[in-house]
Amino acid sequence: MLDKLSANQRLMLAVALSVIFFVGYTAIVPPIEPEKKVLDAQAIQKTLSSTQTNINMQDVVGHEISSEEKYGAEDKSVILTVTNKDYILKVDTLGRISSKELLQNKFKTKDDQHAQLISKTGMKPLFLRFLDEALNNEAMNVAYTANIRESTLDGVAKKVVLTQKLSTLTVTKELTFYDDGHYDAKVSLSQDKRYFVYLGQRPRVNETEQMMTVVGAMIYTDDDIATIITDGDAEGRKTFSGVELISAFDQYSTTLMYGFSKNTNIIVERDRDDNPVIYFDALQTMVFHGYVGQKEYKVLKNIKPVLTNAIEYGWFTFASRPLFQLLSWLHGIFGNWGWSIIALTLMIRTLLYPLTYKGMMSMQKIKAISPQIKEIQKKYKSDPQRMNKAVMDMYKKHKANPLGGCLPMILQIPVFFAIYRVLLNAVELQGAPWIMWVTDLSRMDEFYVLPILMGASMFYQQRLTPTNFTDPIQEKVFKYLPVIFTFFFLTFPSGLVLYWFVNNLFSIGQQFIVNTQFKNAQDAEIALSKHAIKEEHKEEVKAKQIEKKSGKNND
């Protein structure tokens, strides 16, 4: 069947099957709800003793917990508010970052609310837990105090000191906040006690994630390996050392910490929903850094280049990362992400054109010799081996490669998904307009103009593309591919639909050029053949005249 399809038809089939697989798998195999276990007090104590960690018990076992434990999960009174033009950050009585609200309109949620990066429930950044249970219970009932209650950032970093005075211990957190969203942290204990610092749960700005979006936790180590543990896939405890950064992330946002010494033990546990929970074993005096905000490439790079690794694209990171760099470079030229996507599409099509051209010409040749192929198939239908040999000989004779379009297809599929991940994960596209009705390239086209144009262009592209169908069912399936694609693309980010629409336009242009060149070549070949026949006829006439004269002379 594949040898009867053009390069573009193979690409459309492959992408359609991929999309159908992802959607179908999600629908048929939904995430398994973990069984909720109820443990008695003795079992809880046994768990604490065996793991020697103090994860929020309600997150771990999924049942009601004591008031002391619950204190660690509830939203407590605010003791510090840090503001600037872009965000409002709050710290509660447990010394945790309890809220960070983004004030930019482009980061608003679908409900037109300012994005809130810290969940109201669950672990929060900078939460401390002591290994000693009695000390930990006391710590969760004694509030921190701050040396100031409010701080406004105006381009200058501001330092705040939080203090918690326990009966036998004093905890001090020195936090320095910066305009770009990162902070420096120094945690000190008046005496050496074993304790843990938590990264906090990932942001949950959107209730529903788009298809293929990766959310969960990342541990990036100094050997350039990024370990990603997605929500629902955490298994037991894992320990890491030589860690450059830890991140809990969603589609566009992250809570991350970095600047650890090589021997710092980073620990990943799972909560009751099999989501990753990250914390680290801290020293009596622990210095590190953190960031809560959007995964903007330039911001993270300016803070520390290694933080750009917090922007991940799943399986296609190897292709998506350089594509994003190229897209950013183009944005620096055009100043508009929409036109940058169009320019990127043009560059990709130009790069793949030699291969695409070869595949298109091969399909034209196959179409031209298809009547002869059918005759061979009819002649040797009782002898498949001989028929295959005769068909291959025919291909070789006319220099037609039935698989000539496969390589461009193979190259374009990862490019398509890489661009999909770029446009899906790049927070820079949030609120980025293109023209007229397209005001946000990260969201679907509410008027469905781009998906309809994309489907129409795909339909016209099919009309231009040569086919060699022998099965009418196959032909009908491919006729409906534009409808299938249009349906799936209705909810895709408009930036991605723009890419695919422009990609179709370039394909139509290339196909038109190839069709014209092939027709001109065929016309030239026919003209040359006619000229050769005419010349041959002249030679025959001339030979007959010479022969006739020779006969007369002999007489």
Side-chain angles (χ1 to χ4, degrees), residues 217-393:
M218 170 194 287
I219 300 91
Y220 186 80
T221 51
D222 55 12
D223 53 2
D224 295 328
I225 295 178
T227 301
I228 297 174
I229 304 171
T230 57
D231 278 4
D233 291 335
E235 298 178 354
R237 174 190 291 188
K238 294 182 179 179
T239 303
F240 299 83
S241 59
V243 173
E244 293 280 353
L245 70 90
I246 54 178
S247 170
F249 62 90
D250 70 354
Q251 184 175 355
Y252 295 123
S253 314
T254 180
T255 297
L256 61 83
M257 292 178 179
Y258 60 100
F260 308 106
S261 61
K262 288 185 177 293
N263 58 355
T264 301
N265 287 326
I266 306 295
I267 305 164
V268 182
E269 294 273 10
R270 64 179 180 182
D271 65 14
R272 65 179 179 181
D273 296 320
D274 290 332
N275 297 332
V277 177
I278 304 182
Y279 58 95
F280 59 88
D281 206 341
L283 303 174
Q284 183 175 357
T285 299
M286 192 76 191
V287 177
F288 58 96
H289 311 279
Y291 172 82
V292 180
Q294 302 293 75
K295 294 185 287 186
E296 294 186 75
Y297 182 85
K298 288 183 178 179
V299 172
L300 295 177
K301 185 178 180 181
N302 289 336
I303 295 172
K304 192 175 183 180
V306 72
L307 300 186
T308 59
N309 291 288
I311 307 172
E312 58 75 42
Y313 305 97
W315 295 346
F316 301 96
T317 297
F318 71 95
S320 295
R321 187 161 289 161
L323 279 174
F324 176 75
Q325 299 289 336
L326 180 57
L327 187 63
S328 297
W329 178 74
L330 291 171
H331 180 259
I333 297 175
F334 295 99
N336 180 287
W337 288 104
W339 294 116
S340 302
I341 291 171
I342 293 173
L344 177 65
T345 310
L346 174 61
M347 295 177 71
I348 292 173
R349 295 300 305 188
T350 303
L351 182 64
L352 295 176
Y353 182 71
L355 293 172
T356 305
Y357 175 82
K358 187 176 179 181
M360 288 179 172
M361 290 298 292
S362 180
M363 294 309 301
Q364 288 283 7
K365 292 177 182 177
I366 290 175
K367 181 184 178 182
I369 64 174
S370 59
Q372 302 173 56
I373 297 293
K374 289 180 181 178
E375 288 181 7
I376 292 173
Q377 291 173 339
K378 184 177 179 180
K379 182 178 180 180
Y380 298 111
K381 63 180 180 180
S382 58
D383 190 350
Q385 187 173 358
R386 192 173 179 184
M387 179 184 68
N388 291 336
K389 185 178 184 305
V391 170
M392 293 307 298
D393 289 341

Side-chain angles (χ1 to χ4, degrees), residues 138-149:
E138 182 186 2
M140 287 192 292
N141 284 280
V142 176
Y144 279 80
T145 58
N147 64 328
I148 55 174
R149 289 195 60 84

Side-chain angles (χ1 to χ4, degrees), residues 133-191:
E133 185 178 0
L135 181 61
N136 191 67
N137 288 337
E138 182 186 2
M140 287 192 292
N141 284 280
V142 176
Y144 279 80
T145 58
N147 64 328
I148 55 174
R149 289 195 60 84
E150 294 184 357
S151 179
T152 301
L153 304 179
D154 51 4
V156 180
K158 297 293 179 66
K159 183 177 179 180
V160 180
V161 180
L162 310 179
T163 307
Q164 184 185 45
K165 294 186 177 181
L166 305 177
S167 58
T168 60
L169 184 71
T170 299
V171 181
T172 303
K173 293 182 180 179
E174 298 178 25
L175 305 177
T176 304
F177 295 97
Y178 298 82
D179 270 327
D180 55 16
H182 87 280
Y183 60 89
D184 302 332
K186 180 181 179 182
V187 181
S188 304
L189 306 185
S190 59
Q191 55 179 296

Side-chain angles (χ1 to χ4, degrees), residues 513-553:
I513 292 172
V514 169
N515 290 355
T516 303
Q517 289 180 339
F518 189 78
K519 185 178 182 301
N520 293 339
Q522 277 189 318
D523 292 343
E525 187 177 343
I526 292 172
L528 184 63
S529 178
K530 287 181 178 179
H531 179 73
I533 292 172
K534 188 176 181 180
E535 290 296 323
E536 185 178 348
H537 179 68
K538 286 181 179 180
E539 291 295 329
E540 288 179 358
V541 171
K542 187 176 180 181
K544 286 181 180 180
Q545 290 176 347
I546 293 173
E547 184 179 351
K548 190 174 182 180
K549 286 182 180 181
S550 177
K552 288 181 179 181
N553 292 334

